[in-house]
Amino acid sequence: MMINESLAGDFILVGFSDQPQLEKILFVGVLISYLLTLVGNTAIILVSCLDPMLHTPMYYFLTNLSFVDLCFTTSIVPQLLWNLHGSAKTITPVGCAIQLYVSLALGSTECVLLAVMAFDRYAAVCRPLHYATVMHSRLCQSLAGMAWLSGMGNTLIQGTITLWLPRCGNRRIYHFICEVPAMIKLACVDIHANEVQLFMASLVLLLLPLALILISYGYIVQAVMRIRSAQAWRKALGTCGSHLLVVSLFYGTITAVYIQPNSSYAHREGKFITLLYTVLTPTLNPLIYTLRNKDVKGALKRLKKWKSRVIFMTFMFLSIIN
């Protein structure tokens, strides 16, 4: 497929333009996935806010995660769908900068937020008698705020340095999004320092949170092994299983992109892996939490009953007025 390069100054997102048949399949798949992401994460946010039984630290952090996923996919998918559907694979410099800043901030926030959620599960399983004391509302707000500030701080540093690199007219981004590893490849100067900086940032915001998650689950496994009750076993596994699945999906894909050798980043496999953590993972997160979580499923049922009552009362009120 020929790429429209008529818009001077705009960046060209090459993406999957060398495989037009694949673009059609991806368009349908990404569109369905995006709609499911919007519905699923919005449902979790509404249920967690409206149901008093879910006003707990776990669902407070889950609400933050769903909001991050909503914004993260929205910063990427609409532009991706536009490029997959048409021949103009362009994005304006302002649009590219916004996408870079927003997606990097939200992706970094999710890395830290998943580590915070692992600490919450550690406190719930390993310190159940002191859980309410440890995970008080002020601490929960501080931990969530730390995750958001970490994301914003990282994007201000990494994004600004990346955008200030001289590109000497290079506009072809061999990716479907404006992402730091792809953007620094456009530079016409030595980028070794930038690659080292990106690697160090990845260590801090990817591997460090992942290490904390693994340590938390190490303690959780030890605590679960000491449990004799089968019911308590199931409760502990149910409480942690959903989060562990989400962690595996997110970190398993994003580390493959940011920790892999830079020489292989522009290969086709890198773009497909990026699709997994930018499109697929935010879609699966609400499904994992609702299908494996009795509390959320129960809250959804209560919300449906509440909605039915509201509709019935509204209908009766309108009938009386008429």
Side-chain angles (χ1 to χ4, degrees):
M1 178 182 292
M2 294 299 293
I3 298 175
N4 185 354
E5 300 188 34
S6 61
L7 297 178
D10 288 354
F11 289 106
I12 301 165
L13 294 170
V14 176
F16 306 96
S17 58
D18 59 335
Q19 304 172 76
Q21 294 302 317
L22 177 62
E23 282 190 316
K24 297 176 182 178
I25 298 172
L26 285 176
F27 178 82
V28 175
V30 170
L31 178 61
I32 294 172
S33 182
Y34 182 52
L35 294 175
L36 289 174
T37 298
L38 294 178
V39 173
N41 285 289
T42 302
I44 285 183
I45 292 171
L46 289 176
V47 166
S48 299
C49 293
L50 295 176
D51 195 311
M53 294 185 67
L54 298 185
H55 291 176
T56 62
M58 175 180 174
Y59 295 103
Y60 173 73
F61 295 130
L62 180 56
T63 300
N64 276 265
L65 179 64
S66 293
F67 183 70
V68 167
D69 282 341
L70 272 177
C71 299
F72 184 51
T73 52
T74 301
S75 70
I76 295 169
V77 172
Q79 179 68 45
L80 173 59
L81 290 172
W82 176 264
N83 289 348
L84 288 173
H85 186 261
S87 59
K89 314 294 184 183
T90 55
I91 183 171
T92 64
V94 174
C96 187
I98 292 173
Q99 186 180 75
L100 177 68
Y101 276 119
V102 174
S103 61
L104 182 59
L106 294 168
S108 303
T109 298
E110 183 158 350
C111 290
V112 180
L113 190 58
L114 288 172
V116 169
M117 294 175 74
F119 173 73
D120 172 66
R121 293 302 83 208
Y122 159 78
V125 175
C126 300
R127 299 288 185 270
L129 299 179
H130 304 285
Y131 178 68
T133 305
V134 173
M135 299 303 296
H136 53 83
S137 60
R138 183 174 297 178
L139 177 62
C140 292
Q141 292 169 3
S142 299
L143 290 174
M146 178 188 68
W148 284 97
L149 288 174
S150 299
M152 287 187 282
N154 182 53
T155 195
L156 286 174
I157 296 171
Q158 292 289 329
T160 303
I161 292 174
T162 300
L163 291 175
W164 273 96
L165 285 172
R167 290 183 289 272
C168 302
N170 295 326
R171 298 184 291 122
R172 297 175 68 90
I173 302 173
Y174 290 91
H175 211 316
F176 60 86
I177 60 172
C178 293
E179 196 174 34
V180 172
M183 291 291 290
I184 62 176
K185 294 294 182 182
L186 301 181
C188 56
V189 295
D190 182 21
I191 58 171
H192 177 70
N194 298 84
E195 291 175 341
V196 171
Q197 186 181 48
L198 177 62
F199 180 74
M200 294 304 296
S202 300
L203 287 179
V204 174
L205 288 168
L206 280 175
L207 297 187
L208 181 58
L210 182 59
L212 294 175
I213 290 170
L214 294 176
I215 292 171
S216 297
Y217 274 97
Y219 283 111
I220 289 172
V221 168
Q222 289 182 354
V224 170
M225 293 297 291
R226 292 195 294 266
I227 297 176
R228 298 181 182 275
S229 168
Q231 184 178 359
W233 257 82
R234 286 193 295 270
K235 183 178 180 181
L237 292 175
T239 241
C240 300
S242 300
H243 179 253
L244 198 54
L245 272 174
V246 170
V247 167
S248 301
L249 284 170
F250 183 75
Y251 278 99
T253 52
I254 198 169
T255 53
V257 171
Y258 278 84
I259 304 298
Q260 71 174 350
N262 287 318
S263 59
S264 65
Y265 178 81
H267 291 176
R268 186 171 60 190
E269 290 77 9
K271 289 182 283 190
F272 279 105
I273 293 172
T274 304
L275 271 178
L276 293 178
Y277 69 80
T278 56
V279 178
L280 185 61
T281 302
T283 304
L284 295 178
N285 285 356
L287 294 176
I288 291 170
Y289 278 108
T290 53
L291 292 177
R292 295 180 54 87
N293 194 303
K294 292 181 179 179
D295 293 337
V296 175
K297 288 190 286 187
L300 284 170
K301 291 178 181 177
R302 289 190 294 272
L303 187 61
K304 288 179 182 178
K305 291 180 181 179
W306 176 80
K307 180 181 177 181
S308 300
R309 290 174 184 172
V310 170
I311 293 173
F312 176 74
M313 291 175 66
T314 303
F315 176 76
M316 292 297 294
F317 178 73
L318 291 175
S319 300
I320 293 171
I321 292 176
N322 294 329

